[in-house]
Amino acid sequence: MQMGKDAPLLLRTALGEKVERPPVWMMRQAGRYMKIYRDLRDKYPSFRERSENPELSYEISMQPFHAFKPDGVILFSDILTPLPGMGINFEIVESKGPLIENPIRTFDQVKNLKKLIPSESLSFVGDVLTSLRKDIENKSTLLGFVGAPWTLAAYVVEGKSSKNYSIIKSMAFREPDLLHNLLDHFAESIGEYLKYQVESGAQIVQIFDSWAGQLSPQDYDIFAGPYQKKVIDIVKKEYPDTPIILYISGSAGVIERMARTGVDIISLDWTVDIGDASERIPNNIGIQGNIDPGILFGNADSIKNRIDETFSKASGRKYILNLGHGILPGTPEENAKIFFEYGKSLHY
Ligand code: CP3
């Protein structure tokens, strides 16, 4: 699909057009490192409210756009946001992270999960995406996102963030059919949810399988890869031209496998050299990220040098400048600004 000249840079890059510079955005670019976000959080302490009230979600999504003019605007939401629509309640507790009300551990619980109907349970997401798309015009590209089945399952089975994933691994190795039923339910619902995001205005979508790097490659091929692919196939069947990005934390051992899911762009963490990764990823697939979020605790020179080094090693590839994971709380805002501004001064 050839886009018009005024299509935004990130979208043109993702679609494989020759561009003048790499686009730049940041995972978790809206959030706690910004004072304006912390002030709003003091007023609205519930994460669920901030992410499910359309006015608040819209306002927070736009905070980094107003501050830094990134090439991508990502919906302010969470990978867990679709869960209540499937009958799983959750909250996010300050300094503890996500908590699932009744962790899913039995066949009965999986059988009773509701099929997600995004236009009903997630209409607020549709509203926010539609408003964002209208208001950012062609100045930036609008991104939607979801969590992949394995990572969602890790939360709903463990019940919270986990260190060693012993409960879901116990399920994987003792009751694999139970886990497959859950993963399959998520794959179908999440595929529908992504399509709904595209229909509502998302121009690119990113799939976060953040905890798939916890699996050995042989288990990745059973519990993560096939369900990533199922989500991707559902979206591509109706929207073959919508670029899809896949992110996994700790992906160095499964990069070739990520490339085989049908995804358009692989988002790398920082534990792999981007030059090495580039040789392991077919040329038609783009690369995003790779910069250690910790670099933003350094100074202007260290940030600029790392961007230069990463960009030069990625050259010759379709590349999107981004971090290797979300920007960390406590990052100085002026360093985020340097990242965006210096990133936008690069050119091919
Ligand atoms: O990128 C963006 O700006 C969009 C916002 C976004 C959030 N969560 C907002 C959020 C995105 C893309 C996510 C995705 C997400 N959520 C992932 C995948 C990305 C990744 O980091 O690997 C995961 C694993 C989650 C689950 C989750 N939600 C965690 C681990 C946490 C942090 C818990 C904590 O307190 O540190 C959340 C809560 C959350 N989601 C916050 C934000 C800004 C922090 C809570 C707050 O602001 O009060």
Side-chain angles (χ1 to χ4, degrees):
M1 183 172 63
Q2 279 297 100
M3 305 293 299
K5 250 222 164 82
D6 25 309
L9 179 70
L10 174 55
L11 181 59
R12 286 192 282 125
T13 306
L15 288 169
E17 286 197 15
K18 203 166 157 4
V19 288
E20 51 284 11
R21 65 169 174 88
V24 49
W25 71 283
M26 263 186 213
M27 287 186 266
R28 292 277 178 104
Q29 66 189 13
R32 286 171 293 185
Y33 76 101
M34 292 185 86
K35 182 176 185 306
I36 192 169
Y37 176 83
R38 295 192 302 273
D39 289 346
L40 198 76
R41 188 183 57 171
D42 291 342
K43 239 170 107 189
Y44 303 95
S46 154
F47 181 85
R48 293 276 309 262
E49 184 181 1
R50 292 198 298 284
S51 53
E52 295 175 29
N53 170 316
E55 283 79 36
L56 292 177
S57 165
Y58 172 90
E59 185 179 341
I60 298 169
S61 305
M62 290 296 270
Q63 286 177 343
F65 181 69
H66 293 313
F68 310 118
K69 296 279 175 292
D71 293 301
V73 169
I74 185 164
L75 167 76
F76 184 78
S77 182
D78 199 81
I79 59 167
L80 306 179
T81 302
L83 293 179
M86 292 182 254
I88 304 170
N89 198 15
F90 79 93
E91 57 178 319
I92 290 180
V93 180
E94 182 63 37
S95 81
K96 265 200 180 146
L99 285 183
I100 305 295
E101 191 173 74
N102 288 309
I104 305 291
R105 310 254 166 98
T106 68
F107 274 100
D108 264 0
Q109 281 176 296
V110 174
K111 209 177 69 213
N112 288 329
L113 289 178
K114 286 190 270 182
K115 182 174 170 325
L116 190 72
I117 304 176
S119 59
E120 289 176 10
S121 61
L122 293 157
S123 62
F124 57 90
V125 168
D127 293 345
V128 177
L129 286 170
T130 303
S131 310
L132 287 170
R133 178 68 185 279
K134 187 169 142 277
D135 294 351
I136 62 178
E137 299 173 317
N138 279 335
K139 298 189 190 87
S140 191
T141 298
L142 181 60
L143 294 113
F145 72 93
V146 291
W150 165 263
T151 292
L152 291 179
Y155 280 108
V156 307
V157 172
E158 298 281 338
K160 52 181 169 36
S161 298
S162 174
K163 236 196 204 133
N164 45 29
Y165 300 87
S166 54
I167 308 176
I168 190 169
K169 288 197 177 176
S170 148
M171 187 185 280
F173 303 129
R174 284 168 189 252
E175 292 185 286
D177 290 350
L178 170 55
L179 183 54
H180 281 297
N181 285 354
L182 177 62
L183 292 167
D184 205 59
H185 184 97
F186 281 155
E188 281 177 13
S189 285
I190 289 305
E192 289 308 311
Y193 182 33
L194 268 189
K195 285 198 288 184
Y196 177 69
Q197 293 186 14
V198 173
E199 281 149 21
S200 304
Q203 294 162 292
I204 297 182
V205 291
Q206 176 151 335
I207 299 175
F208 287 95
D209 210 350
S210 303
W211 313 140
Q214 296 290 328
L215 289 164
S216 69
Q218 78 236 54
D219 294 321
Y220 176 95
D221 286 342
I222 298 171
F223 299 109
Y227 297 99
Q228 294 161 0
K229 184 166 187 311
K230 185 161 183 174
V231 173
I232 292 163
D233 288 346
I234 290 172
V235 178
K236 288 283 179 188
K237 190 162 173 240
E238 247 167 275
Y239 300 106
D241 296 325
T242 299
I244 304 182
I245 306 172
L246 177 61
Y247 174 78
I248 295 175
S249 174
S251 63
V254 294
I255 287 173
E256 291 81 358
R257 287 169 163 82
M258 293 172 79
R260 292 198 287 266
T261 58
V263 85
D264 301 288
I265 292 156
I266 291 178
S267 192
L268 295 172
D269 74 10
W270 63 96
T271 64
V272 65
D273 179 278
I274 195 167
D276 296 344
S278 186
E279 287 175 19
R280 296 165 56 192
I281 298 173
N283 243 312
N284 60 320
I285 296 180
I287 298 176
Q288 169 175 277
N290 187 238
I291 295 187
D292 179 357
I295 281 286
L296 298 184
F297 291 107
N299 57 31
D301 279 347
S302 59
I303 296 166
K304 291 177 184 173
N305 287 340
R306 187 58 57 89
I307 290 175
D308 281 340
E309 208 180 312
T310 308
F311 177 52
S312 81
K313 281 187 181 174
S315 91
R317 300 290 304 230
K318 189 196 288 185
Y319 180 63
I320 299 167
L321 180 61
N322 202 323
L323 301 173
H325 204 164
I327 182 171
L328 294 162
T331 299
E333 281 184 67
E334 63 271 24
N335 283 355
K337 187 163 192 246
I338 291 167
F339 184 87
F340 284 115
E341 280 183 357
Y342 190 69
K344 289 204 274 182
S345 77
L346 300 173
H347 52 80
Y348 285 109

